[in-house]
Amino acid sequence: VEYISPINFYKITANGEDIGFIGMIHPEKSAIIEKKCSICTCEIDFSKLITIAKSTTMFETVSKFPKSELDFNFLIEKSKRYSEIEKIAKSIETDINYTVSLLDIFDNGNEYISYTLHYVIGRDDRTLTGEEIDNFHKVVIDTFAKQGINLKL
């Protein structure tokens, strides 16, 4: 569309199909209108929009109980893929709710890479005790140790 700025032009897509666009009017065209403001325009093909399958949005209540965060730094052989590490990290068997993410990678040039994994743990029905947090910590270390991966000291 010739009257839209190519820098501020965005396609609107749904399920991989273009159903419209949104963008800023090109400054040259906007100057013709002689307003001291930016002008946006949007076009949506509603005949395409109404054919898109409706999806149900699910919501969960946020826990009233605090979460705990634990970071683990493991030395891992360069030959191992991160997908293997992620699989181990997500295989922790526990009744505690947890998420895990990669926080940092450090390569100091030898045959090992240091991966820092970040766990967020908690329960929906109560606050974790110090003993439960310590046990989770131990289970993570033991799970990795069984795979020959040790905590960086």
Side-chain angles (χ1 to χ4, degrees):
V1 182
E2 70 280 349
Y3 59 89
I4 301 290
S5 170
I7 296 171
N8 294 310
F9 175 80
Y10 305 95
K11 290 181 181 179
I12 300 171
T13 59
N15 296 339
E17 184 177 356
D18 291 346
I19 62 168
F21 67 86
I22 186 168
M24 302 277 295
I25 301 294
H26 195 284
E28 291 175 0
K29 303 295 182 186
S30 186
I32 296 169
I33 300 171
E34 298 181 8
K35 295 286 182 184
K36 293 183 180 182
C37 63
S38 298
I39 302 171
C40 296
T41 186
C42 176
E43 181 179 296
I44 297 175
D45 185 338
F46 284 97
S47 62
K48 289 182 181 179
L49 184 63
I50 60 172
T51 64
I52 297 170
K54 293 182 180 178
S55 62
T56 304
T57 303
M58 302 290 289
F59 294 95
E60 279 185 27
T61 58
V62 177
S63 176
K64 296 182 276 187
F65 303 98
K67 305 271 188 233
S68 296
E69 298 184 28
L70 302 170
D71 292 335
F72 297 87
N73 197 307
F74 294 103
L75 279 178
I76 299 166
E77 296 174 4
K78 284 185 178 179
S79 61
K80 281 203 183 281
R81 293 181 173 265
Y82 176 71
S83 60
E84 297 173 59
I85 307 309
E86 185 178 37
K87 185 176 179 181
I88 298 166
K90 292 181 176 180
S91 72
I92 306 302
E93 293 183 19
T94 180
D95 62 343
I96 294 173
N97 300 331
Y98 71 90
T99 59
V100 61
S101 59
L102 179 63
L103 186 64
D104 189 37
I105 300 173
F106 179 72
D107 183 354
N108 65 356
N110 62 19
E111 69 270 15
Y112 293 96
I113 294 177
S114 172
Y115 284 93
T116 302
L117 301 177
H118 180 74
Y119 282 86
V120 178
I121 63 174
R123 291 187 57 120
D124 294 330
D125 58 343
R126 62 182 172 79
T127 301
L128 292 174
T129 65
E131 184 178 345
E132 288 173 311
I133 295 169
D134 290 343
N135 286 341
F136 184 86
H137 188 271
K138 184 179 181 325
V139 169
V140 171
I141 293 170
D142 291 347
T143 301
F144 275 89
K146 288 176 187 171
Q147 301 296 322
I149 299 170
N150 297 310
L151 203 59
K152 181 180 176 185
L153 300 175

